């Protein structure tokens, strides 16, 4: 019962707040010809009675029927508008939810990439420090090698034993 009253209240709200797209000076046309007073609007043929009293009753009934039919058509149109509006709102809500999920996924990806980037930068810094240390150690070892070569060279020159000079392999 509650959903029907909600729909009814929404229907009343929509009918009261939605202005007509037609100006009030434009007459609403009926689907029946108005120049045939003796014709039956439902069947489109002449009435068999020419009695003025029955014609006025027929005219009143047809006007009432036309009004009811017009009201029914308006109700159907309003219900369709209401369903379409509700459908559009649901579609927009689903679209916003998809957009939010996509945005959340993108933020998650951004955070993951930032963490990975930070880890790679740390690794690069560690490797760079290690490389610098190896270069320093290599330079130090080259310097020591050069000093040792000089010491060996000095020892060979000053050596009193000439026979050992031929056995010594020159260091280059």
């Amino acid at each position: 019962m509650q959903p029907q009253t909600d729909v009814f209240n929404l229907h009343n709200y929509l009918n009261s707040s939605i202005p007509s797209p037609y100006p009030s000076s434009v007459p609403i046309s009926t689907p029946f010809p108005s120049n045939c007073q003796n014709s039956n609007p439902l069947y489109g043929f002449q009435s068999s009675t020419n009695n003025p009293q029955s014609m006025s009753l027929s005219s009143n009934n047809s006007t009432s029927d036309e009004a009811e039919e017009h009201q029914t058509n308006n109700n159907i149109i309003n219900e369709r508008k209401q369903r379409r509006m509700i459908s559009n709102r649901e579609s927009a809500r689903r679209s916003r939810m998809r957009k939010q999920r996509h945005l959340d996924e993108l933020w998650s990806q951004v955070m993951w990439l930032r963490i990975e980037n930070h880890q790679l930068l740390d690794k690069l810094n560690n490797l760079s420090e290690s490389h610098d240390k190896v270069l320093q150690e290599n330079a130090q070892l080259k310097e020591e090698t050069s000093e040792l070569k000089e010491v060996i060279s000095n020892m060979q020159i000053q050596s009193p034993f000439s026979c050992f000079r031929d056995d010594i392999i020159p260091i280059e």
Side-chain angles (χ1 to χ4, degrees):
M1 285 283 187
Q2 183 64 25
Q4 290 176 344
T5 57
D6 290 342
V7 171
F8 181 73
N9 290 337
L10 183 59
H11 176 72
N12 288 340
Y13 170 76
L14 291 174
N15 285 339
S16 66
S17 64
I18 299 176
S20 172
Y22 305 106
S24 60
S25 62
V26 175
I28 300 174
S29 63
T30 63
F32 309 109
S34 60
N35 58 354
C36 300
Q37 293 179 1
N38 291 340
S39 67
N40 187 339
L42 297 176
Y43 301 106
F45 57 85
Q46 295 289 334
S47 173
S48 62
T49 59
N50 289 331
N51 184 354
Q53 187 177 19
S54 69
M55 286 192 327
S56 70
L57 286 176
S58 165
S59 174
N60 286 341
N61 285 342
S62 68
T63 306
S64 174
D65 289 344
E66 288 175 6
E68 285 179 17
E69 186 176 339
H70 182 68
Q71 183 63 31
T72 302
N73 287 342
N74 281 343
N75 288 343
I76 291 171
I77 290 170
N78 288 336
E79 288 174 11
R80 286 179 184 163
K81 284 181 183 177
Q82 180 183 357
R83 280 191 302 239
R84 189 169 50 247
M85 184 178 66
I86 290 170
S87 174
N88 287 347
R89 285 181 180 167
E90 282 297 312
S91 177
R93 184 184 63 80
R94 287 190 306 270
S95 176
R96 286 190 302 273
M97 288 175 64
R98 276 193 310 270
K99 184 178 178 182
Q100 186 63 44
R101 270 196 312 270
H102 184 65
L103 187 62
D104 291 344
E105 289 172 5
L106 289 175
W107 271 112
S108 175
Q109 190 176 10
V110 164
M111 296 308 294
W112 182 81
L113 289 171
R114 283 182 177 170
I115 289 170
E116 185 178 11
N117 191 28
H118 182 69
Q119 290 172 346
L120 290 172
L121 284 173
D122 286 346
K123 197 173 190 179
L124 178 65
N125 287 336
N126 289 337
L127 288 173
S128 179
E129 287 176 10
S130 296
H131 180 259
D132 290 343
K133 286 180 183 177
V134 167
L135 287 178
Q136 287 176 354
E137 187 178 343
N138 193 17
Q140 184 180 359
L141 289 173
K142 282 183 180 180
E143 186 177 322
E144 287 178 14
T145 304
S146 141
E147 288 175 3
L148 288 174
K149 282 182 183 180
E150 189 176 320
V151 168
I152 292 173
S153 175
N154 288 339
M155 286 174 65
Q156 287 177 353
I157 294 174
Q158 296 174 0
S159 172
F161 306 105
S162 60
C163 62
F164 291 119
R165 283 189 194 165
D166 295 329
D167 295 338
I168 298 177
I169 302 171
I171 300 174
E172 295 177 10

